Amino acid sequence: MINTKPCWFVGLPALLACALGHAQSTVQIYGTIDEFAGRLTTETATTRSSSTVLNNGGMTTSFLGFRGTEDLGGGLRAVFALETFIRADTGAIGRNDADPFWGRLSIVGLEGGWGKLTLGRHVTPYSLATTLNTPFVGSTTLSPVFAHVYNLNLQGGTRFDNGVQYSLPRLGGFAADFLYSMGRENATPSVDRKRDRAFEAVGSYTTGPAKLTAGYHYINLNNAGDDHDQNAWMVAGTYDFGVIKVNAQHHRVREQSTTIATNARRRTTEAGVTIPVGAGSILATYVRSSMRDASPATPDGRRSFSIGYDYNLSKRTDIYTAYYRDRLVNPMTQQTILAAGVRHRF
């Protein structure tokens, strides 16, 4: 923790003033570095290609963050967080060249007994609910449910710009987050003035070894007045038996507009297990999706699974190995990843 109030004097009064400054305003530096070596293979009905790679972010996309609080008195605190993705294999900023510098998180707000209100670029509650309720927690590379929900499916991505988020204070085992995005902030005369405006709400209830989660997602995709929008709903649950932890989640997505070609309905279901073994855990999950739309170019379904082992060397460092297969059906495309990596949190 870094004291943000410099003290240029000495003696007991100085020590007291520095301690008070530290209590009132603090900044923390944190992050994760995750890299893996592996073999990537892509197949279609007529082609096959493979490559040996050293890539970023097998279990967690690498990032660097700064967050802080200031005590404003009366139980009220100012809060902020700035986080940037890192491609640790090349040293570049962002998940890709299109990412802004503070692409992972960029928020400021207030927090008190009434909850927390923040403004800026947020991680969407729906994406957190998806990635936290799977054995490959937080992974966007080795977790098949993330690919099913966010690749060729849910629109808007895992971050919303121009957002306002309110988080309820914890009430027993209940927690909830609500996020509204202003979208592109187009001027009123534009027929697409509501383009990318979005809303998400996620609630969860934890009692003992059980956790239940429900979420809703909406985004306006209007293009030249075609009334295009998307709605999604999800339910998820986990139960920890001690010797094994089981999880399941189900998503339904409906996309509609005045253009028949963009109308679609998709369903995704995941079932997975986490089995403690030694200082680590065996992770296994299977995901199945059905995809219905008017375009013959898009797949009719998707079948994927991952199995791996994550071993903790310490509280902050782990090593892992995993095999992931993602298969799109009609037309067929298949990708497999065989990975072994190391992750360090600081």
Side-chain angles (χ1 to χ4, degrees):
M1 308 292 277
I2 300 174
N3 183 0
T4 61
K5 293 189 174 182
C7 299
W8 303 104
F9 38 86
V10 295
L12 182 58
L15 294 176
L16 293 175
C18 288
L20 181 59
H22 183 82
Q24 290 179 338
S25 182
T26 60
V27 175
Q28 182 181 10
I29 301 173
Y30 60 98
T32 297
I33 302 295
D34 182 330
E35 296 196 58
F36 71 92
R39 187 77 173 169
L40 309 184
T41 303
T42 301
E43 299 178 68
T44 67
T46 58
T47 64
R48 185 179 189 275
S49 62
S50 296
S51 57
T52 301
V53 299
L54 178 65
N55 274 359
N56 174 63
M59 295 293 281
T60 304
T61 305
S62 301
F63 73 97
L64 173 67
F66 303 84
R67 63 186 169 211
T69 63
E70 182 184 14
D71 187 351
L72 302 175
L76 185 65
R77 294 179 299 278
V79 297
F80 83 90
L82 294 168
E83 297 177 359
T84 182
F85 285 110
I86 301 170
R87 282 168 277 177
D89 53 333
T90 65
I93 292 295
R95 294 165 294 184
N96 50 60
D97 290 341
D99 259 346
F101 188 90
W102 299 113
R104 194 175 195 266
L105 190 66
S106 177
I107 60 170
V108 65
L110 298 172
E111 183 178 19
W114 44 267
K116 181 164 71 172
L117 182 70
T118 53
L119 311 175
R121 177 177 169 90
H122 293 79
V123 185
T124 64
Y126 198 102
S127 68
L128 287 174
T130 300
T131 59
L132 293 177
N133 286 284
T134 182
F136 289 83
V137 175
S139 177
T140 61
T141 300
L142 301 172
S143 173
V145 73
F146 180 86
H148 280 238
V149 173
Y150 282 97
N151 185 356
L152 304 176
N153 200 351
L154 217 66
Q155 299 294 308
T158 62
R159 266 77 186 165
F160 282 172
D161 292 337
N162 305 317
V164 180
Q165 179 164 307
Y166 172 64
S167 301
L168 284 172
R170 282 198 166 270
L171 305 171
F174 181 74
D177 298 288
F178 306 89
L179 175 60
Y180 177 75
S181 169
M182 308 293 184
R184 298 188 184 182
E185 300 179 328
N186 290 333
T188 300
S190 169
V191 294
D192 293 334
R193 65 186 182 279
K194 296 183 179 180
R195 175 77 178 184
D196 290 342
R197 290 189 187 178
F199 173 75
E200 290 192 354
V202 171
S204 64
Y205 181 72
T206 305
T207 174
K211 181 180 180 181
L212 300 174
T213 303
Y216 172 73
H217 159 95
Y218 167 82
I219 186 168
N220 186 305
L221 301 168
N222 190 68
N223 183 28
D226 65 357
D227 296 325
H228 188 184
D229 63 13
Q230 184 186 71
N231 294 269
W233 302 261
M234 65 94 70
V235 291
T238 63
Y239 195 93
D240 192 345
F241 292 94
V243 295
I244 185 173
K245 181 179 180 180
V246 298
N247 79 279
Q249 56 181 294
H250 180 73
H251 301 255
R252 291 194 178 193
V253 179
R254 183 185 67 189
E255 198 166 330
Q256 56 189 5
S257 75
T258 56
T259 303
I260 300 297
T262 59
N263 292 347
R265 279 174 167 74
R266 308 179 187 96
R267 298 183 180 183
T268 297
T269 303
E270 180 198 37
V273 295
T274 302
I275 306 172
V277 177
S281 296
I282 295 173
L283 315 172
T285 181
Y286 175 77
V287 186
R288 180 187 181 99
S289 289
S290 62
M291 309 159 91
R292 299 289 180 264
D293 58 41
S295 174
T298 58
D300 292 338
R302 199 168 191 169
R303 313 283 184 267
S304 307
F305 72 87
S306 279
I307 184 168
Y309 182 67
D310 185 22
Y311 181 81
N312 297 306
L313 296 173
S314 70
K315 290 183 178 181
R316 296 189 299 170
T317 304
D318 58 314
I319 55 176
Y320 58 88
T321 184
Y323 177 77
Y324 166 65
R325 192 194 76 173
D326 181 24
R327 184 180 180 89
L328 295 165
V329 180
N330 191 27
M332 191 280 284
T333 302
Q334 178 173 291
Q335 183 185 62
T336 60
I337 302 174
L338 180 62
V342 58
R343 171 174 56 176
H344 177 74
R345 308 170 186 86
F346 59 91

